[in-house]
């Protein structure tokens, strides 16, 4: 029986190369397939989900904001000083407010 190859100590704990590879593999698996395990939670990041460089794709993304908000239980706004400089952000707030029962949390 041969000992597993070790890499440098991480916070005083010796770490096996297999622990590192396994941890990275599990992390990427959860990142790639975790949404299938947790079907009730869904996130929509407008700056990521709405195309920023193609005007046609941007228009299609903005047109679908009401459908996404109608399927939502809550809207969480990660506010900064530039939030209201993007017209679709104002539109998101207006749609969520006009839809009624969608609580809006501003962080």
């Amino acid at each position: 029986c041969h000992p597993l190859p070790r890499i440098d100590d991480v916070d005083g704990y010796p770490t096996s190369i297999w622990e590192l590879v396994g941890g990275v593999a599990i992390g990427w698996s959860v990142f790639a397939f975790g949404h299938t395990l947790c079907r009730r939670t869904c996130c929509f990041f407008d700056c990521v989900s709405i195309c920023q460089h193609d005007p046609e794709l941007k228009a299609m993304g903005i047109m679908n904001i009401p459908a996404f908000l109608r399927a939502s239980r809550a809207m969480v706004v990660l506010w900064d000083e530039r939030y209201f400089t993007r017209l679709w952000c104002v539109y998101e707030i207006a749609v969520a407010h006009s839809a009624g029962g969608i609580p809006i949390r501003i962080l």
Side-chain angles (χ1 to χ4, degrees):
C1 184
H2 299 286
L4 292 173
R6 299 270 177 201
I7 57 176
D8 291 336
D9 289 348
V10 177
D11 295 330
Y13 300 103
T15 304
S16 164
I17 190 72
W18 299 111
E19 292 169 327
L20 179 65
V21 170
V24 169
I26 289 171
W28 276 106
S29 297
V30 169
F31 176 73
F33 303 110
H35 65 282
T36 60
L37 301 174
C38 193
R39 294 184 189 272
R40 291 177 33 204
T41 302
C42 184
C43 294
F44 172 82
F45 293 109
D46 62 358
C47 62
V48 177
S49 301
I50 296 177
C51 183
Q52 304 293 309
H53 62 277
D54 185 356
E56 289 180 26
L57 290 175
K58 182 187 275 187
M60 288 173 41
I62 292 170
M63 287 185 338
N64 287 313
I65 288 174
F68 187 83
L69 287 174
R70 278 193 297 271
S72 301
R73 290 179 292 171
M75 179 177 179
V76 178
V77 176
L78 302 175
W79 186 85
D80 68 349
E81 60 275 356
R82 296 178 305 144
Y83 184 79
F84 289 111
T85 63
R86 296 180 299 273
L87 187 57
W88 73 79
C89 293
V90 177
Y91 179 64
E92 287 174 338
I93 296 286
V95 169
H97 183 69
S98 68
I102 301 173
I104 302 171
R105 290 183 31 208
I106 298 176
L107 301 178

